[in-house]
Amino acid sequence: MVITKTHSLAQKNMATETLLIKHILLLMLAQCAALLPLLEQLPWWMLLLCLTLFFTRIQIVKRKILPINQYIKFSLVLVTVSLLLISSDSGYSLHSFVVLLVLTMCLKIIELTSKRDYILMVFLGCFISASQLLFANSLIAFFYVIFCLLLLHVCLLQLCCEPHKPLLNATVSIQQQSINQWRYIKKLLLLFLQALPIAVVFFLVIPKIGSLWQVPLHSKAAKTGMTDSLSAGDIAKLNQDNSAAMRITFDNVGKIDNAQLYWRGLVLEDFDGKTWRRSAQRLAPISAAKTSEITSTNSRINYQVMLENTDQPWLYALNTATTSNSKIAQWQNYSLTKRENLQNRFQYNVQSYPDYVDSSDLSALEYQKLTALPKNENPKTRQYAVALAQKFSDKQQIIDAIMQKFNEQFTYTLAPGRMSTTHGIDDFLFAKKRGYCEHFASTTAFILRAAGIPSRIAAGYQGGQWSSDNRYLLVTQAAAHAWVEVWLAGKGWVRLDPTAAVAPQRIESGASDYLAQLTQGSSLVSSLSQTSLMRQLRLRWDNVNYQWHRWVLGYDNKLQLALVTRFLGGIDAWRIGLLLLSVLSLMLIPLFIKRVIGLPKKKESDVIVRLRKLDKVLAKIDLAREKGETLNAFLQRAAEHSSINKPALMAIAATANQLLYDTDAGRSACLHQLDTLIEQVKNSR
Amino acid sequence: MKWIAQYYQRWLQKRSPANKHHTLKQSNVYIFPSRLGGCYLLLSMLLWLLGTNYDNNLILGVSYLFISIFLLCIFHSYFNLQGLKVTNITSENADSTVFVGDMAFIDLAFLRSNTNYQPAIKVAFKELPGVYLDFANQQSVEISLGVEALERGQLLLPRLSIVSYYPLGIIRCWSELSIATQQLVFPLPVENSLPLISSGVAEGENKKNLESKETQEQEYQSLQLYRAGEPLSKIAWKQYARTQVLYTKTFAADTGENNQLSWYSYPDVEAELRLQYLCYQALELHAQQRAFSLELVNTTITQGNGDGHLQRVLSALALYKAPFESIK
């Protein structure tokens, strides 16, 4: 046993709790980690400001530069806040709140002097780090946040364990410091590992209350995805984007042919010569009679759609869709919208009746609206349409003629070049003859309208990638598509996809495969992401993500009730309490084992082993070391005890001290000497 | 508020009575969230609100994680203190004389329980600056804490508080131990103009001072072997010249004179001040290596000299309690 003696007077100054540079460095590391995923959300200068202030802070701690005075601080606050007001969209939203919090944290760095500031910074960091889950909620994002929280908690632990300078050796080696830091990280890993199961139980059993008040997440939509209008280039942009748009799980239906998967979202009825828009008039809700007419159709597909956040109300479904969800409005043109804009991922159940035929008639007003075109534009196309209308009496023949023209003379490409701005459709139809879905759809609808056939554009997604077990379908942004709906008396609205006439594989094999062929060699990254191995991996990964979304993000009261009653047999308070207690105690078992039973003792140093042997020898003559007695004092006492070899005892004291305090010098020789001395004492008895 | 504090002190006294040796265990360790812990819970509530409002399960999960960590910290903080042994190892031999107003140093040995690395433990006597225990890689550590001795008599130690905010600073885990000590606090010596010895012998003393040096020399009664530390003036140089051995002269005064320190030699003086005067006298006489006796109201210590004697006299002064009716 080794005893060190320190005096309180000497320690008084050291006990003052000040921040050390290592505390600040660790905090900065943790804060940077927490800010990293938020960079996309922050104005560009925020990172710059943050790094500059961190750097300044360190220089101040190192006493390289003087602390910043009040005026500079004040003007810094003024400048940055006004910068924030200018650069942000100045909307009232959570997003701007988070940005403000980050700014507060950055500015607090220069104020960071006391322990209290430090802890405030750590808590701010925790909040900011957690709030990043508002913007990204993938599996990876979640575990990254947990990692950041771990780092921030290491800051707290370090502050708690080393609030003062080291006592005995003021210059602790860097090695020792890193050992300490590892120890902290290990300790916190243990704490987090213990805490996670308890948190999971909390998560599973605590009922969820709906939102208490509404604050928009973003004050300005900046999402990829469909917008409420369609002009040249919109979809081509999306075709490069492999992020998920939605995921669909079908009930009890086998794989559906890709060519049937038209995820219809928006219906665009107004055309101004360049852009197709939604009807300017108020949409009429679908009548009850029509709904019952639809639901009485034979074939039915039930499925569940999980739509990624779009910040818009459009919902996508196979035609003709109905739903019983009260949050969803259903319209006369068969489209579905959420009653409020999406704030988050949204999950809904839909029933689709693909074989439904609308047998009603269009009113004269509707007929007029659906054949309306801007005057004076695209004269050549108009002429062509009028000629077609004169040539064929049957509407289907007109359609066939257009499709045949596309099939024979046109190419599907993602890079058709710019069309003329004044007569875009003329340019496409008679000069360029190259384009992608929206050119074909727009042109077809234009010709049909010019020929007096009511038509409109439907926009949404087409196809999808089946998971390896065929259980669900992933639709990426790349599958964005536009097609035409044409009114044929007696058949109702009929889907007409001109792209299928130009590039049938685009429809049959799905956008991803087809686009892969198209873009091969065009850019390394996109072609890599399209190769089959990568696609397989991506699908596998997406499956994991999907389950995460479905079970973790989509965990709601309904699921909760089902799960809790299934595993606990009821939802009484005592059952839940019992579960919580048992998990808590389960997590504490390692601690108890460690404290009560005691872990295998650390191997004692060779010096201590020898001294214990000496203790045994001396115990035989009723000499035992008292609590708190130093080795020297004890041996002195033993030496006064007459019957023992005094010089040997004193020599032991000297040798042992040398071994314990002077680390390196002639260790083995000293140990040997100690052995022989103890032997002498034993024999002299 | 005051009576609550008093009640708490009494309760504490009953619960963990004074002892030289304590082991921290369930019965003497207390746990309560610190202010920081309150903030931590507030933070998790904020996160819960955020998660609830945006229907964000992940943020809810983080909030529950915080609450679980909070709960676990209660146990971790307890296990950090549990099993720590405290022993008062202050040596009680004569060389530590503490007078009123001095710092009394209490040596404490802390022995940590075998398996635990026990960091961030702050030890302090209540309301005094404290020390963090630093076990480094060792089993035990000794510290010495200074306490100002405010009153004469048995040293009154404030309770020893052992506080740990480990691991995250959100839970305060503490113990308040009453450390038993035998340390005495002697009255502060106050110089006084009265003759060193009591009136009864004062005449003889004066007479002696008048006597010539030669007669004084002749008066010594015996010679003793010189011991290191004795004043040179007492060495019998003549004998040294003769025998080459150092002898000390023992005067009749050393053995025969009656230096009686008495409570009654300071009439019209306050009781405490009398003790302080007596203390000064005792120390003076001891320094001159002269024998003396002490007479207090209900104790008397017979003639004697040496360290042991001084210790006895000072102890009697330290522990003196005036009888009910004070005697002038």
Side-chain angles (χ1 to χ4, degrees):
Chain A
M1 248 187 289
V2 181
I3 287 167
T4 57
K5 183 132 182 162
T6 49
H7 274 274
S8 64
L9 284 178
Q11 290 160 15
K12 249 180 212 167
N13 322 336
M14 291 179 175
T16 52
E17 289 158 1
T18 49
L19 291 178
L20 305 179
I21 188 147
K22 64 177 173 187
H23 291 148
I24 293 177
L25 277 174
L26 187 66
L27 178 69
M28 281 171 29
L29 185 76
Q31 303 284 41
C32 285
L35 283 186
L36 202 61
L38 278 171
L39 283 185
E40 207 187 324
Q41 313 290 336
L42 300 174
W44 60 270
W45 48 268
M46 195 75 97
L47 179 74
L48 216 66
L49 176 77
C50 185
L51 289 177
T52 319
L53 291 178
F54 271 148
F55 182 74
T56 325
R57 182 71 233 165
I58 291 186
Q59 294 306 309
I60 292 172
V61 174
K62 281 184 175 168
R63 291 169 203 284
K64 293 245 173 74
I65 51 177
L66 288 172
I68 300 171
N69 75 30
Q70 292 299 320
Y71 297 108
I72 299 181
K73 276 181 196 168
F74 184 67
S75 49
L76 196 64
V77 171
L78 269 186
V79 167
T80 49
V81 170
S82 46
L83 248 176
L84 189 67
L85 284 179
I86 295 164
S87 66
S88 81
D89 41 42
S90 67
Y92 162 69
S93 70
L94 192 73
H95 174 250
S96 44
F97 173 64
V98 170
V99 174
L100 194 69
L101 267 185
V102 174
L103 180 67
T104 318
M105 197 182 79
C106 289
L107 291 176
K108 190 72 197 164
I109 296 165
I110 38 171
E111 282 276 335
L112 180 62
T113 44
S114 71
K115 213 174 134 181
R116 247 185 71 204
D117 299 334
Y118 189 82
I119 289 161
L120 181 76
M121 289 279 286
V122 172
F123 283 5
L124 258 179
C126 285
F127 192 84
I128 287 169
S129 185
S131 70
Q132 115 196 9
L133 290 172
L134 288 170
F135 308 107
N137 45 20
S138 68
L139 191 67
I140 295 177
F142 181 68
F143 282 100
Y144 184 76
V145 167
I146 297 286
F147 166 75
C148 291
L149 292 178
L150 189 90
L151 270 184
L152 286 161
H153 279 75
V154 172
C155 294
L156 282 184
L157 181 63
Q158 192 183 42
L159 189 69
C160 179
C161 287
E162 299 171 30
H164 49 80
K165 289 183 184 106
L167 292 178
L168 289 173
N169 28 359
T171 51
V172 170
S173 64
I174 294 164
Q175 199 186 356
Q176 180 63 40
Q177 261 187 35
S178 60
I179 287 173
N180 276 345
Q181 302 221 334
W182 270 117
R183 189 186 277 165
Y184 300 149
I185 290 171
K186 257 162 54 189
K187 175 85 199 169
L188 276 172
L189 270 177
L190 174 74
L191 193 67
F192 270 61
L193 282 179
Q194 286 175 326
L196 271 173
I198 302 173
V200 167
V201 174
F202 275 137
F203 179 73
L204 289 180
V205 298
I206 294 182
K208 291 171 52 173
I209 318 168
S211 46
L212 307 173
W213 67 87
Q214 277 290 326
V215 180
L217 194 56
H218 287 272
S219 52
K220 187 176 68 183
K223 274 278 182 190
T224 59
M226 286 289 186
T227 51
D228 63 346
S229 64
L230 188 73
S231 48
D234 283 354
I235 287 181
K237 247 182 271 161
L238 287 178
N239 280 150
Q240 319 278 351
D241 183 357
N242 266 323
S243 65
M246 55 184 178
R247 298 173 174 86
I248 299 102
T249 322
F250 290 94
D251 295 352
N252 316 321
V253 179
K255 200 168 165 178
I256 297 176
D257 192 18
N258 246 348
Q260 298 303 314
L261 296 173
Y262 280 85
W263 303 104
R264 194 167 171 273
L266 294 98
V267 179
L268 309 170
E269 294 173 344
D270 285 2
F271 185 57
D272 66 356
K274 290 185 194 68
T275 308
W276 286 88
R277 292 179 203 285
R278 291 192 311 130
S279 170
Q281 288 161 11
R282 260 181 73 91
L283 277 176
I286 199 162
S287 63
K290 209 154 196 180
T291 311
S292 63
E293 198 183 311
I294 294 172
T295 49
S296 59
T297 318
N298 278 333
S299 59
R300 186 171 79 167
I301 308 172
N302 290 339
Y303 53 95
Q304 192 181 43
V305 180
M306 183 192 282
L307 183 64
E308 293 295 311
N309 185 18
T310 56
D311 287 325
Q312 279 166 347
W314 333 123
L315 303 178
Y316 298 87
L318 298 174
N319 215 11
T320 306
T322 60
T323 178
S324 53
N325 193 329
S326 61
K327 284 182 191 163
I328 297 176
Q330 304 178 56
W331 307 102
Q332 210 177 11
N333 60 15
Y334 314 132
S335 62
L336 306 178
T337 59
K338 193 167 181 271
R339 293 195 193 277
E340 289 151 358
N341 279 6
L342 264 71
Q343 290 272 330
N344 254 313
R345 176 177 296 99
F346 181 56
Q347 205 165 343
Y348 51 98
N349 285 304
V350 191
Q351 296 85 44
S352 283
Y353 301 87
D355 294 343
Y356 168 70
V357 173
D358 188 353
S359 52
S360 60
D361 283 325
L362 282 184
S363 67
L365 193 73
E366 280 175 316
Y367 183 87
Q368 195 194 357
K369 210 183 97 186
L370 289 163
T371 51
L373 285 175
K375 305 248 155 42
N376 309 328
E377 285 195 20
N378 303 308
K380 283 160 99 180
T381 312
R382 269 166 199 280
Q383 269 177 15
Y384 171 72
V386 170
L388 272 182
Q390 283 167 353
K391 193 171 163 193
F392 303 106
S393 56
D394 187 9
K395 288 172 179 168
Q396 189 60 50
Q397 281 178 314
I398 299 176
I399 294 167
D400 289 344
I402 301 168
M403 292 303 113
Q404 200 184 349
K405 183 179 171 73
F406 282 157
N407 192 359
E408 284 164 2
Q409 304 171 11
F410 284 70
T411 5
Y412 182 91
T413 170
L414 281 178
R418 286 183 70 86
M419 303 290 160
S420 143
T421 46
T422 46
H423 302 298
I425 290 174
D426 277 3
D427 192 28
F428 170 71
L429 194 60
F430 298 106
K432 294 266 168 44
K433 300 195 175 185
R434 292 156 60 80
Y436 43 89
C437 60
E438 61 197 73
H439 293 111
F440 290 104
S442 173
T443 307
T444 309
F446 188 93
I447 299 171
L448 288 175
R449 281 191 173 193
I453 306 170
S455 55
R456 61 193 183 191
I457 301 255
Y461 298 91
Q462 196 276 319
Q465 299 163 53
W466 289 93
S467 67
S468 44
D469 53 357
N470 283 343
R471 280 182 50 220
Y472 82 99
L473 185 78
L474 167 70
V475 179
T476 58
Q477 295 291 354
H481 193 51
W483 59 95
V484 178
E485 285 181 342
V486 56
W487 176 265
L488 298 174
K491 289 183 183 172
W493 285 106
V494 174
R495 183 178 69 225
L496 170 65
D497 189 357
T499 313
V502 192
Q505 307 104 299
R506 160 75 167 81
I507 305 305
E508 281 154 21
S509 57
S512 300
D513 276 349
Y514 184 67
L515 295 175
Q517 289 164 23
L518 271 189
T519 53
Q520 221 156 48
S522 67
S523 90
L524 187 64
V525 180
S526 67
S527 61
L528 251 183
S529 77
Q530 300 294 349
T531 56
S532 73
L533 176 70
M534 286 304 284
R535 245 192 54 177
Q536 278 298 316
L537 284 176
R538 216 181 58 222
L539 278 175
R540 193 65 53 81
W541 173 239
D542 195 77
N543 197 2
V544 174
N545 260 321
Y546 177 65
Q547 301 306 333
W548 167 258
H549 286 158
R550 202 160 169 213
W551 294 108
V552 180
L553 303 179
Y555 188 76
D556 54 9
N557 282 338
K558 223 163 71 187
L559 214 61
Q560 184 171 47
L561 198 70
L563 198 80
V564 172
T565 38
R566 193 170 143 207
F567 284 103
L568 297 183
I571 41 166
D572 314 290
W574 67 268
R575 286 179 207 265
I576 290 169
L578 205 67
L579 177 71
L580 271 178
L581 266 182
S582 52
V583 173
L584 187 67
S585 41
L586 202 69
M587 288 306 106
L588 287 170
I589 283 175
L591 271 182
F592 273 107
I593 290 175
K594 198 174 157 200
R595 295 319 310 276
V596 178
I597 302 169
L599 287 181
K601 283 175 191 170
K602 252 199 292 182
K603 198 170 168 283
E604 282 172 322
S605 84
D606 31 15
V607 184
I608 304 283
V609 171
R610 283 168 177 80
L611 288 179
R612 287 211 188 291
K613 204 161 129 199
L614 178 68
D615 276 351
K616 264 185 206 155
V617 172
L618 293 176
K620 286 179 188 157
I621 47 166
D622 290 333
L623 270 170
R625 216 162 135 184
E626 279 167 14
K627 279 200 171 85
E629 194 176 24
T630 62
L631 180 69
N632 275 341
F634 172 56
L635 289 176
Q636 193 91 44
R637 196 156 60 83
E640 279 162 22
H641 203 282
S642 53
S643 69
I644 308 181
N645 187 341
K646 281 181 201 171
L649 278 177
M650 294 331 286
I652 286 174
T655 323
N657 278 338
Q658 193 182 347
L659 276 169
L660 288 170
Y661 296 110
D662 304 340
T663 43
D664 315 316
R667 225 185 140 73
S668 58
C670 280
L671 281 175
H672 185 71
Q673 196 186 344
L674 201 60
D675 275 338
T676 47
L677 284 168
I678 291 171
E679 229 17 66
Q680 277 176 29
V681 172
K682 206 172 171 181
N683 298 335
S684 72
R685 211 164 43 82
Chain B
M1 276 331 272
K2 205 175 176 186
W3 67 268
I4 293 179
Q6 277 174 359
Y7 179 80
Y8 172 68
Q9 284 305 323
R10 238 178 300 147
W11 177 79
L12 211 58
Q13 197 68 44
K14 227 192 267 173
R15 198 173 165 85
S16 65
N19 204 338
K20 285 203 108 165
H21 178 77
H22 292 274
T23 305
L24 296 191
K25 50 181 186 280
Q26 244 166 329
S27 60
N28 54 14
V29 170
Y30 313 102
I31 300 177
F32 201 76
S34 64
R35 200 184 305 165
L36 188 59
C39 296
Y40 195 83
L41 280 184
L42 196 74
L43 177 71
S44 51
M45 277 318 291
L46 273 177
L47 283 174
W48 184 84
L49 264 183
L50 190 73
T52 298
N53 222 21
Y54 287 91
D55 212 5
N56 192 316
N57 280 346
L58 296 185
I59 295 182
L60 277 180
V62 170
S63 140
Y64 295 145
L65 181 73
F66 274 49
I67 294 172
S68 327
I69 288 175
F70 183 86
L71 289 178
L72 282 169
C73 276
I74 297 174
F75 295 90
H76 280 269
S77 69
Y78 171 69
F79 285 126
N80 190 42
L81 278 193
Q82 191 235 26
L84 187 72
K85 295 186 172 67
V86 190
T87 312
N88 180 5
I89 50 159
T90 317
S91 58
E92 264 129 28
N93 48 24
D95 60 336
S96 63
T97 45
V98 177
F99 298 95
V100 172
D102 282 359
M103 286 293 262
F105 283 94
I106 303 297
D107 297 331
L108 297 168
F110 290 84
L111 186 71
R112 66 170 162 180
S113 64
N114 228 349
T115 51
N116 236 20
Y117 151 78
Q118 295 178 299
I121 299 176
K122 189 177 182 178
V123 177
F125 282 112
K126 265 199 137 175
E127 283 141 26
L128 292 173
V131 185
Y132 281 95
L133 295 187
D134 183 11
F135 283 104
N137 291 315
Q138 291 143 10
Q139 271 302 308
S140 68
V141 68
E142 270 185 27
I143 58 167
S144 173
L145 287 175
V147 181
E148 197 179 355
L150 295 173
E151 272 179 58
R152 170 182 67 82
Q154 194 87 45
L155 176 65
L156 283 176
L157 280 182
R159 280 187 171 259
L160 181 75
S161 76
I162 302 176
V163 186
S164 156
Y165 286 93
Y166 184 83
L168 296 178
I170 55 182
I171 300 287
R172 182 177 194 262
C173 188
W174 77 100
S175 184
E176 283 179 23
L177 303 173
S178 177
I179 301 288
T181 177
Q182 246 81 65
Q183 181 82 52
L184 288 179
V185 181
F186 306 131
L188 184 70
V190 171
E191 200 176 345
N192 53 84
S193 54
L194 275 170
L196 275 177
I197 43 175
S198 55
S199 49
V201 204
E203 280 171 37
E205 174 85 353
N206 288 340
K207 220 185 280 168
K208 201 173 7 159
N209 284 345
L210 293 172
E211 280 165 1
S212 66
K213 222 180 172 189
E214 292 94 315
T215 45
Q216 207 180 27
E217 234 170 46
Q218 283 159 7
E219 253 184 6
Y220 69 82
Q221 290 193 330
S222 61
L223 291 170
Q224 287 182 341
L225 270 175
Y226 174 79
R227 284 175 298 177
E230 282 178 325
L232 291 176
S233 61
K234 288 194 175 180
I235 289 174
W237 293 111
K238 281 183 183 165
Q239 273 71 26
Y240 176 69
R242 241 180 282 144
T243 60
Q244 299 298 311
V245 178
L246 279 174
Y247 288 103
T248 316
K249 293 178 280 188
T250 316
F251 293 94
D254 286 348
T255 49
E257 75 172 337
N258 186 16
N259 294 324
Q260 195 193 14
L261 300 180
S262 170
W263 174 263
Y264 303 102
S265 18
Y266 306 97
D268 298 330
V269 176
E270 221 191 322
E272 281 305 315
L273 195 58
R274 285 193 207 197
L275 293 172
Q276 291 175 340
Y277 285 164
L278 289 171
C279 183
Y280 175 78
Q281 299 286 2
L283 289 170
E284 277 295 292
L285 286 170
H286 178 71
Q288 295 171 16
Q289 294 208 325
R290 290 161 68 179
F292 60 95
S293 65
L294 176 73
E295 186 193 10
L296 291 174
V297 177
N298 36 21
T299 20
T300 30
I301 291 170
T302 49
Q303 184 90 348
N305 61 0
D307 288 341
H309 178 69
L310 179 73
Q311 200 67 26
R312 270 195 301 281
V313 168
L314 290 180
S315 301
L317 290 175
L319 295 171
Y320 172 77
K321 277 200 185 79
F324 283 114
E325 68 262 31
S326 64
I327 300 154
K328 299 258 158 150

